[in-house]
Amino acid sequence: VALALARALGFHIEQLARREASLLLESATQRYQRLLAERPELLARVPQHQLASYLAITPVALSRIRRRLRAAVPHSAPP
């Protein structure tokens, strides 16, 4: 039991360290893109204001990031 608890604690500490590094070293756009790549299902299930909070940005900033990324994706020409 102690070994399982130690492994679980180690996992959570590692996750926390990764999150802190992300907040310190990545831009808000990079954090959003990482979330999009690693956990795309969350974007459909979690309200935008909670995603913004997780990313340590305002909902307005998240909206602007999403709009910029959508505009940057080249659209295919209509047939």
Side-chain angles (χ1 to χ4, degrees):
V1 175
L3 182 58
L5 187 59
R7 284 184 182 160
L9 182 60
F11 174 78
H12 288 293
I13 290 172
E14 186 177 314
Q15 291 288 94
L16 180 60
R18 262 188 266 165
R19 177 161 163 70
E20 285 185 30
S22 172
L23 290 171
L24 291 172
L25 302 173
E26 295 179 332
S27 70
T29 300
Q30 290 169 325
R31 292 192 306 270
Y32 177 75
Q33 289 174 318
R34 178 186 296 278
L35 182 65
L36 185 61
E38 293 178 358
R39 303 291 304 273
E41 75 281 0
L42 290 181
L43 300 177
R45 293 181 16 211
V46 177
Q48 295 302 302
H49 70 278
Q50 289 180 341
L51 289 174
S53 178
Y54 176 77
L55 295 169
I57 58 177
T58 66
V60 172
L62 177 57
S63 177
R64 289 176 180 159
I65 289 168
R66 292 173 53 143
R67 185 179 66 232
R68 272 195 303 265
L69 291 176
R70 273 195 308 268
V73 174
H75 295 94
S76 58

